[in-house]
Amino acid sequence: MAKIHVTTKINGEPIEFLCDPSETMLDALRNELGLTGSKEGCGSGDCGACSITLDDRLVCSCLMLAAEAEGKEINTIEGMAEGENLHPLQEKFLEEAALQCGICTPGMLVAAKALLDQNPNPTETEVRFWLAGNLCRCTGYDKIIRAVLDTAAEMREAAQ
Amino acid sequence: MSESENKWIGKNTIRPDGADKVTGRAAFAADANMPGMIWGKVLRSPHAHAVIKGIDTSKAEALPGVKAVVTATDIIDFPVDTPVPLGIQDMRWMTRNVMAREKALFHGHPIAAVAAMSEAIAAEACKLIEVDYEVLPHAIEIDDALADDAPILHDFIEFDGKPSNIAGTLEHTKGDVEAGFAEADVIIERDFTTRPVHQGYIEPHACLVSVAPDDKTTIWSSSQGQFMVRAMTALLTGIPQSSIRAIPAEIGGGFGGKTIVYLETLATILAKKSGLPVKMVMTREEVMRASGPTSGSKSTVKIGAKKDGTITAAEGFYWLQAGGLPGSPIRGAAGCALAPYDIPNGHTFGYDVVCNRSKVAVYRAPGAPIGAFGVECVLDELAEELGMDPLDLRLKNAAKEGTKAVHGPTYPVMGYAESLEAAKVHDHYKAPLGPNQGRGVASGFWFNAGGESSAQVNITEDGNVVVTTGHPDIGGSRAGIANICAELLGIDYRRVSVLIGDTATVGFSNLTGGSRVLFASSMVVTESTNNVIGTLCELAAKIWDIDPEAVTWENGEARPAGANAGQFPPLTLEELAARANETGGPIGAGSQLNTAGAEGGFGTHICDVEVDQELGIVRVLRYTVLQDVGRAVHPAYVEGQMQGGAVQAIGWALNEEYVYDKDGRVDNPGFLDYRMPVASDMPMIDTYIIEIPNPKHPQGVRGVGEVPLVPGLAAVRNAIYDALGIRFNSLPMSPPVILDARNRKEAAE
């Protein structure tokens, strides 16, 4: 089967790649582009470990075809830190031990950033429902929710 | 050293692997690739129970792009009549679990595996493999497997002189139970069932294996023990352990489920046959059908007490599903059930029951939550019957230092009663409840494990530290090790790198399991670090030309002591490292120990729920975990264990279960229908850390990770009773179950 040529932007950089018509964006990221930060926990959009943003919209990259990236802008966990500076969410996850094994962490961070980008002052309930599509089996969510709320508070303060 | 002087032990430092984990750099099993790599896929049984009469792989082998095919004949057999123990596993069952041999024992049981140029070709080739099955009747549930006319899974297993699905038993006895019940004023006896639940790790099993023509084998995989991977692969392939290098990838959750191999053996043989590196990754569906879970169970628990609450006798019978091959955690169920209590007359009995489900794997305190569920439910009812507070009833009978447990040991100092006392005075226990709300409590115990661990502590030439241990870090243990090493050396923890070695670079270390990692690895790291400090003092003594005994190590530097005190300026770690070449050479020390003294762990949970009378949904409103952890070396990760364990228990209690169809196939092999807790289901989980140091450990550490799963099932159940007035003795207490019970109660009233 002929490969499809895709021109897109990933983490701010123009990127071209070839993919099979049936290839998921997650497989293209991991297998074609070497961006293995996005994880496959289920392949069915239920665990959120593969979360990325597509034109600023949070999506499960396992449910998206790679060919759909044409002309779009994608952001992954690899683009979250700016150079050597971690994003405040990344810093807070480390400070507050909001990860144990770390497999859900990239997706959790991408999803949390997507929330704070559109809602800088979420309630605990809003954070819990926003992250309900990101499974974590280790932490019981407590420290993750706290880290997101604490980051939001600090970012609001810094923005003033 | 007193508490207040600790600089790092007890501090929430940043984990050594932290930056990697939050940036996507951390390499988990499926993240590895090799040049020339091909892909392996597994053909799985479409039947729950069938004799394999023949396998024809010729069409698959002829498909272009296929490089190798493996069936059970390629894997070393271990005859069923001779046990081959490896830890708690038996290679007789392991060889039959990684690949079906005489029979397919569950739907999803591996039948063959193919390696090909792409995953798609490998999957296509699997479809071309022709298998001649003789389909047999199957038994999924315990009662099906124990019925008089039950299909017998293994003709070599007998019980009571007859072919049976009871593969083994285990019994604990103390005192005279009959006499004990005769002394009781109140006796309560109830039957319980729990469902099998999966460990639910988010990372599916995966591995990448390369085998050179001289059999030198490199295995990159995600497991709870690279040495387990090496040992099992060696036994199943015949390649000597010295030729296998098992590299531990970062592990994306295990909870016990990654203490055995599934794919590594198949990939090794495929790589050997094809001469190419082979990568295999399970789908979530394969994980759900063919790995884990823990046992489903039925049990009968009977407890008798005097009017003042003194327990006179207790008895529990437990039947646990093993899946298709023997080995359910009856030891955990029968051993832990009564462990929190000082019971004069006790008897527990466990039955290991094979059935046509995937073979169970270890799951966090394996068996213990099942054991505790019935006991903690009966105690709740007993407390009501006696008019006692349920915590007071437990306190009256709480095991303490010197108590001889029903399962055998006499307890050293430990903090079970302290967890009950802390619960009694906790704000949570006194907080008011609203309508449809209820509160439950329960306690639990886990053995905890010691065992083999190795570590190497090396001082770098620039005076920093590299610690290598042999345990995959599943929840932040590297952070605890950094704290301890930095504390002993008196340096900033950021100067200590903590790495997990592969099987070729660090000494033998047993599994990440049994809540043993920080307990055991800190013992070898402590010994190694103290030896390094000894060397540093010797080097300083040489420089100063005084006795090594006249040198002390304080705050990261050697100081002359005794008669020489103050005679020389102190020498720092950096200075000593820089002069190592002239004073004696490399500075480092290794330690290997078979650690002992882990001692059991105890905890108590308080749970508040609200029951939605219309929808049958149980919402957990508030939850508190109280536990004696010995010493919290890194409190945030200790809290994380307590919180994560409690939420797994809530999932087990409320929602998680496998649904089987009439043909013995799992109907819900994915996260959509196998409903684990999500963020919006949960409240914050409060923790209360009790620190009664373990006297047999240099830092006082006890195992932490498994205890917090144990009390949770009954804590939730007892809270639902308090809210609804209905005692549920079967799990899960899912919305249809709650609604049905509520409606029946309403109709009866």
Side-chain angles (χ1 to χ4, degrees), chain A residues 139-158:
Chain A
T139 64
Y141 303 105
D142 182 300
K143 293 187 188 304
I144 293 174
I145 305 301
R146 288 180 200 276
V148 175
L149 290 168
D150 291 349
T151 307
E154 276 182 22
M155 287 176 76
R156 287 196 305 276
E157 208 167 295

Side-chain angles (χ1 to χ4, degrees), chain A residues 60-146:
Chain A
C60 287
S61 61
C62 75
L63 294 183
M64 171 189 162
L65 289 171
E68 293 179 274
E70 178 68 34
K72 300 281 208 290
E73 275 192 44
I74 283 173
N75 279 292
T76 71
I77 185 64
E78 286 90 349
M80 200 162 162
E82 286 181 25
E84 60 178 3
N85 298 318
L86 294 177
H87 185 277
L89 276 165
Q90 293 171 309
E91 294 274 12
K92 195 57 75 184
F93 267 51
L94 291 180
E95 269 171 41
E96 300 191 359
L99 61 148
Q100 285 177 33
C101 80
I103 194 85
C104 74
T105 308
M108 204 63 88
L109 285 165
V110 168
K113 179 173 181 296
L115 169 63
L116 298 191
D117 284 348
Q118 69 174 61
N119 179 2
N121 191 9
T123 63
E124 181 189 332
T125 303
E126 284 171 334
V127 175
R128 286 189 177 276
F129 275 85
W130 182 272
L131 293 178
N134 291 78
L135 293 180
C136 169
R137 190 62 155 174
C138 293
T139 64
Y141 303 105
D142 182 300
K143 293 187 188 304
I144 293 174
I145 305 301
R146 288 180 200 276

Side-chain angles (χ1 to χ4, degrees), chain B residues 124-140:
Chain B
E124 187 59 32
C126 284
K127 290 185 198 153
L128 298 175
I129 296 172
E130 290 168 0
V131 188
D132 185 10
Y133 293 105
E134 180 192 338
V135 180
L136 302 171
H138 60 268
I140 300 294

Side-chain angles (χ1 to χ4, degrees), chain B residues 414-616:
Chain B
M414 50 81 161
Y416 173 47
E418 285 79 353
S419 77
L420 294 164
E421 278 156 3
K424 270 204 80 170
V425 299
H426 198 283
D427 284 350
H428 182 173
Y429 201 58
K430 295 178 254 171
L433 290 164
N436 298 318
Q437 296 180 358
R439 176 167 301 143
V441 298
S443 298
F445 165 86
W446 175 246
F447 304 116
N448 291 329
E452 304 96 327
S453 285
S454 302
Q456 178 71 32
V457 175
N458 289 332
I459 305 301
T460 57
E461 299 95 293
D462 62 357
N464 291 302
V465 188
V466 178
V467 179
T468 309
T469 70
H471 304 293
D473 175 359
I474 207 159
S477 56
R478 274 171 286 208
I481 291 166
N483 283 3
I484 287 171
C485 185
E487 187 78 54
L488 293 169
L489 279 168
I491 59 173
D492 190 292
Y493 81 96
R494 281 159 287 229
R495 290 173 59 189
V496 181
S497 287
V498 185
L499 307 175
I500 315 301
D502 64 55
T503 56
T505 56
V506 67
F508 177 72
S509 300
N510 213 320
L511 291 164
T512 290
S515 299
R516 63 180 295 270
V517 170
L518 193 68
F519 168 82
S521 59
S522 58
M523 287 174 99
V524 281
V525 168
T526 296
E527 189 173 275
S528 303
T529 306
N530 284 335
N531 287 341
V532 162
I533 290 170
T535 303
L536 290 164
C537 290
E538 280 171 26
L539 299 184
K542 210 169 194 178
I543 290 167
W544 293 327
D545 197 20
I546 62 174
D547 263 2
E549 287 73 40
V551 180
T552 60
W553 187 263
E554 277 173 59
N555 283 328
E557 51 192 29
R559 293 179 185 173
N564 303 300
Q567 278 197 7
F568 310 99
L571 285 164
T572 64
L573 183 57
E574 295 94 316
E575 288 165 336
L576 288 165
R579 296 178 67 175
N581 175 271
E582 64 185 85
T583 53
I587 308 168
S591 172
Q592 293 88 31
L593 289 175
N594 193 3
T595 64
E599 308 304 346
F602 297 84
T604 296
H605 292 193
I606 312 170
C607 172
D608 289 1
V609 300
E610 181 172 288
V611 181
D612 183 322
Q613 299 262 3
E614 297 299 314
L615 300 172

